[in-house]
Amino acid sequence: MKLTLTQLRYLVAVARYGSVTMAARALNVSQPSISVAIDNVEDALGQKLFVRQRGSGIALTSFGRSAVAKARQVLAEADELVGLGSREADVAGELVLGCFEDLAPYFAPALIRSFSERCPSVTVIVRDETFETLGRRLADSAVDLGLTYDLGLPAHFARILLHELRPHALLPAGHVLADKRTVSLADLAAHPLITTDQPHSWQHMLDLFLSRGLSPVARSSTSSFELQRSMVANGFGVAVSYTRPHGDMSYDGLPLVCKPLSDPLPMQRIILTHDTRQRLPKAALAFIEAAKAWFASHDVFTA
């Protein structure tokens, strides 16, 4: 049985969304048509591509990951062939950008806008991800590129540097440390510390203190960066952060004080990443260059 490009597109969509229902909705086709296509692909290849997971949709098998990676390669080459006839750009097709949830609202829209001006024939899909889900989706070929901090990535993932950041202290207005020009980790360790519950994030922050021989008291952990900022603004503790939105105010309108840290701490890196075991489509290579240019021409997380 021969496979068609339509069947391959359905296969990639199911891998991307982790659900036949969601893939059908995204492609604006019927769910049975996608189910039949997946059955046909499995029959043609002679192996199962997906397994059902209770409560969490479907997941790729090991063979399925290889099949989806090859399908995406074929589709990318087909899109590039079609793009040869376009006078608008020599890059066409679809690009899926996975963004770490703390960085997505600050950079993804601007990067996509800038990239679209360069490559208008590429459709960019953006997805919010945690540290853990981003790595998994990159490995499963559900995401082409990841925009994230350089934390918790496997050794075989590429790390393309976009920007480096220094950590800063996050304090409520009127805090005893708020009038100091700089503060140290030792200063902060004397106060309740508020972290986020993102695994690699909170461990990284605690490691900063441990590297200075300090053991801070973690007052509480939050599910998001913005909740962490609101907790600090309301006087529940202090925090250390790399991300700094424009305007030092929490969501509920309270002021925050950001102070440089006096300790000689390592910089944190904002990067683009991808699984080096998979071939990058032409659109992804073009996006990397556009992202480098954008970060080189913009101030990032400045006061």
Side-chain angles (χ1 to χ4, degrees):
M1 180 185 294
K2 293 182 179 180
L3 298 178
T4 67
L5 290 179
T6 297
Q7 289 172 329
L8 297 183
R9 290 191 191 282
Y10 289 176
L11 168 62
V12 170
V14 173
R16 178 174 300 136
Y17 293 101
S19 162
V20 172
T21 301
M22 294 296 294
R25 187 177 303 166
L27 296 175
N28 196 29
V29 299
S30 69
Q31 183 173 332
S33 65
I34 291 188
S35 296
V36 169
I38 297 302
D39 289 342
N40 289 339
V41 174
E42 290 183 333
D43 289 343
L45 299 180
Q47 294 193 50
K48 279 289 186 184
L49 301 175
F50 297 95
V51 292
R52 294 192 177 278
Q53 295 182 321
R54 182 176 297 177
S56 57
I58 59 178
L60 286 166
T61 63
S62 177
F63 177 77
R65 282 192 289 272
S66 299
V68 169
K70 180 59 69 174
R72 292 177 67 248
Q73 180 179 337
V74 171
L75 291 172
E77 291 173 350
D79 287 334
E80 289 170 13
L81 178 61
V82 173
L84 291 177
S86 171
R87 292 182 298 177
E88 287 184 327
D90 61 352
V91 181
E94 184 179 273
L95 173 72
V96 183
L97 177 67
C99 296
F100 174 53
E101 55 193 350
D102 284 2
L103 295 178
Y106 305 111
F107 301 118
L111 288 174
I112 293 170
R113 185 180 70 245
S114 176
F115 175 67
S116 295
E117 292 170 355
R118 292 186 175 207
C119 302
S121 296
V122 179
T123 299
V124 181
I125 298 171
V126 62
R127 300 187 61 170
D128 286 353
E129 304 286 354
T130 66
F131 285 124
E132 292 179 321
T133 63
L134 179 58
R136 185 167 65 249
R137 294 188 189 282
L138 285 164
D140 285 350
S141 299
V143 166
D144 295 301
L145 287 173
L147 176 70
T148 184
Y149 287 124
D150 189 3
L151 292 173
L153 294 171
H156 61 271
F157 275 35
R159 291 160 171 80
I160 300 159
L161 178 63
L162 298 176
H163 194 74
E164 290 185 311
L165 297 169
R166 295 187 184 279
H168 60 267
L170 199 59
L171 308 167
H175 192 273
V176 65
L177 300 175
D179 290 333
K180 298 187 67 171
R181 186 175 63 84
T182 63
V183 299
S184 67
L185 290 179
D187 292 331
L188 296 177
H191 303 273
L193 182 69
I194 298 175
T195 64
T196 64
D197 59 11
Q198 300 148 335
H200 297 294
S201 179
W202 70 258
Q203 186 60 59
H204 174 74
M205 292 304 177
L206 291 181
D207 285 345
L208 293 180
F209 286 91
L210 293 175
S211 70
R212 312 297 293 174
L214 302 168
S215 298
V217 177
R219 170 68 177 269
S220 61
S221 65
T222 65
S223 59
S224 70
F225 169 62
E226 287 298 345
L227 180 55
Q228 178 191 44
R229 296 174 81 242
S230 290
M231 292 288 286
V232 171
N234 280 275
F236 289 99
V238 300
V240 175
S241 178
Y242 294 98
T243 307
R244 185 177 182 180
H246 291 287
D248 295 326
M249 302 282 288
S250 63
Y251 268 7
D252 56 356
L254 295 179
L256 288 156
V257 177
C258 295
K259 292 292 180 179
L261 290 169
S262 58
D263 306 80
L265 298 172
M267 304 277 276
Q268 182 53 274
R269 294 150 50 94
I270 299 176
I271 62 170
L272 282 173
T273 184
H274 63 89
D275 191 333
T276 58
R277 299 171 300 182
Q278 301 170 10
R279 176 181 176 271
L280 274 182
K282 198 171 182 180
L285 295 173
F287 188 90
I288 290 171
E289 295 308 311
K292 288 180 179 178
W294 188 92
F295 272 88
S297 62
H298 288 77
D299 293 329
V300 176
F301 293 152
T302 55

